[in-house]
Amino acid sequence: MSNKNYKFGTKAIHAGAEPDPSTGAIMTPIFQTSTYVQESPGKHKGYAYARGKNPTREALQKNIAALESAKHCLCFSSGMGSMDAVIKLLRPGDEVITGDDLYGGSYRMFTKVFANYGIKFHFVNMTNAENITKFVNDKTKLIWAETPTNPTMQIVDIEACGEIAKKHNLILAVDNTFASPYLQNPLALGAHIVMHSVTKYLGGHSDVVMGALVMNDDKLFEQLAFIHNSCGATPGPMDSFLVMRGIKTLHLRMERHCFNGRKVAEFLKTHPKIEKIYWPGFTDHPNHSIAKKQMRDFGGMISIVLKGADLNETFKIASSFEVFSLAESLGGVESLINHPATMTHASIPKEEREKAGVVDNLLRLSVGAEDIEDLIDDLKKVLG
């Protein structure tokens, strides 16, 4: 599928997928092989060993690249594997500017793994781009941004970050997991690399762990492809097949996530047991105007702070739902509820996470695709 002018839903269904030449199968086959026969040493049909290339994975990579209107995509065995590859572009002494509200696994990797190799990370409030410029120096090489952030839904101005990156010759990488390509395309706003935890909205069915990096720059692609093959964090063909199947309904699922997310957010906004709600669709949400500019809708991720609840009461509430399941992860068709302080963000020191608003009585909701009446009823039964 070469015509880049197709609309999103058409690309989600068709991009990267070609009928199998041997059978005409409309679905991309699962090439479950570790190696490929060569005609003579070094002479083959583009495939030598499956860590480097696999036809099923290549079809998926073409598909994800098309969704971000990009030239290149590399899929990894997890979202953390894709992040790991980006940081491996750096050298000891290099510096990274990133957000102070960040997925706990990202914080852990930065502080517990790569800081040991002499890479310095600055955790700053990125909702105001001017805060970023204060930390730029001749050692700065990378800006790593999440938007919306996990879990307080901070909105980072991607275009403003892109201008800073361009001015100082930096790489801007954007974690686009919460928005998905359906809602936001950072490359078009000045990002150099877009990262996805494919596990989430792209896969969409809570049955795959995978990551992806998307880019237009040929040199960056060559560098990351070398790391991808050399370090080996590559996904298998079965997972690639499952994600391709999931993406075929991404646009339909995201429409429902956004619809349900709005209804749930509006219900919780005025609930007497909710002290604070984080959802970028509200006009009083910080940087709402930026979210409206760079996103097509506001998604299904919501965080709430329970009024006056201690840790035990917060645990009891989180464990009392029937339709919302208490679990890590997000972006699947089923609704999930999560306690970041002890689950996804447990690796962040209490003082640091509380500065960013990740308090003990905060819960994060991933609003799924169920009937909205059942979701609201579930919330009413638990919250009263």
Side-chain angles (χ1 to χ4, degrees):
M1 182 178 181
S2 58
N3 191 331
K4 295 182 180 179
N5 294 322
Y6 287 118
K7 302 299 183 184
F8 188 94
T10 306
K11 289 193 286 188
I13 293 169
H14 293 288
E18 300 291 341
D20 175 49
S22 62
T23 64
I26 196 166
M27 293 298 292
T28 302
I30 302 167
F31 287 89
Q32 194 71 49
T33 185
S34 61
T35 193
Y36 308 84
V37 174
Q38 302 188 23
E39 297 176 25
S40 60
K43 186 179 180 182
H44 50 75
K45 297 178 180 179
Y47 302 95
Y49 187 61
R51 185 186 68 244
K53 285 186 178 183
N54 176 280
T56 314
R57 186 169 74 233
E58 286 206 319
L60 172 61
Q61 290 174 165
K62 290 177 182 177
N63 182 275
I64 296 175
L67 299 185
E68 290 283 10
S69 299
K71 289 175 66 176
H72 307 293
C73 174
L74 294 165
C75 286
F76 293 77
S77 53
S78 68
M80 301 312 298
S82 61
M83 286 187 65
D84 176 82
V86 174
I87 307 303
K88 283 175 179 171
L89 294 170
L90 307 179
R91 298 292 179 266
D94 288 347
E95 298 189 7
V96 179
I97 301 170
T98 188
D100 61 358
D101 181 42
L102 198 65
Y103 167 55
S106 304
Y107 180 92
R108 180 178 56 208
M109 176 186 284
F110 292 166
T111 60
K112 302 298 184 183
V113 179
F114 284 106
N116 295 331
Y117 293 90
I119 298 171
K120 186 174 182 179
F121 296 87
H122 299 281
F123 298 92
V124 307
N125 186 325
M126 297 179 71
T127 57
N128 184 344
E130 291 182 8
N131 292 334
I132 298 171
T133 60
K134 297 174 185 177
F135 291 86
V136 176
N137 58 55
D138 59 358
K139 295 180 180 179
T140 309
K141 296 295 188 291
L142 172 70
I143 300 172
W144 181 275
E146 282 183 16
T147 185
T149 63
N150 183 0
T152 65
M153 314 298 159
Q154 290 181 12
I155 299 298
V156 178
D157 189 333
I158 299 172
E159 194 168 19
C161 290
E163 290 171 0
I164 295 168
K166 184 177 181 180
K167 180 179 178 180
H168 298 281
N169 196 29
L170 310 176
I171 297 171
L172 171 60
V174 176
D175 183 339
N176 201 29
T177 299
F178 269 29
S180 87
Y182 181 79
L183 297 182
Q184 184 171 266
N185 301 115
L187 292 179
L189 298 169
H192 302 95
I193 300 170
V194 175
M195 175 266 182
H196 287 282
S197 176
V198 176
T199 310
K200 313 304 193 296
Y201 285 111
L202 289 172
H205 294 80
S206 303
D207 54 6
V208 177
V209 173
M210 191 184 293
L213 297 175
V214 184
M215 69 230 72
N216 282 320
D217 186 273
D218 294 337
K219 184 179 179 182
L220 267 179
F221 172 70
E222 289 173 10
Q223 292 173 307
L224 288 165
F226 177 82
I227 294 168
H228 183 250
N229 179 51
S230 300
C231 297
T234 53
M238 184 66 195
D239 284 353
S240 299
F241 173 87
L242 287 171
V243 173
M244 281 198 76
R245 184 175 67 171
I247 287 176
K248 288 181 184 292
T249 59
L250 177 62
H251 54 305
L252 304 175
R253 290 185 283 107
M254 291 307 299
E255 287 175 2
R256 177 57 71 92
H257 287 303
C258 291
F259 175 83
N260 283 356
R262 180 178 293 277
K263 294 292 186 182
V264 167
E266 288 171 348
F267 169 76
L268 294 172
K269 174 84 167 174
T270 57
H271 197 283
K273 288 191 177 179
I274 304 303
E275 177 184 322
K276 196 168 189 178
I277 183 166
Y278 299 97
W279 183 67
F282 290 128
T283 56
D284 59 353
H285 185 88
N287 282 354
H288 166 76
S289 60
I290 294 171
K292 192 173 182 180
K293 179 182 71 172
Q294 66 189 23
M295 299 175 70
R296 297 179 184 91
D297 207 331
F298 303 108
M301 297 303 302
I302 302 165
S303 287
I304 54 174
V305 177
L306 300 171
K307 187 177 292 183
D310 60 15
L311 194 58
N312 288 333
E313 186 179 355
T314 302
F315 280 5
K316 182 180 178 181
I317 289 172
S319 305
S320 298
F321 291 92
E322 291 185 2
V323 182
F324 284 87
S325 298
L326 178 63
E328 298 200 17
S329 199
L330 59 105
V333 291
E334 58 285 307
S335 292
L336 302 179
I337 193 161
N338 167 278
H339 184 247
T342 55
M343 297 168 73
T344 53
H345 291 66
S347 59
I348 301 178
K350 183 180 176 70
E351 184 180 346
E352 293 300 314
R353 63 173 171 79
E354 288 189 343
K355 280 182 189 176
V358 188
V359 293
D360 284 346
N361 54 334
L362 179 139
L363 295 173
R364 190 193 73 191
L365 283 67
S366 173
V367 182
E370 300 92 343
D371 284 313
I372 187 58
E373 292 84 358
D374 293 326
L375 294 176
I376 298 295
D377 284 347
D378 201 30
L379 290 164
K380 287 179 179 177
K381 287 176 185 175
V382 175
L383 296 175

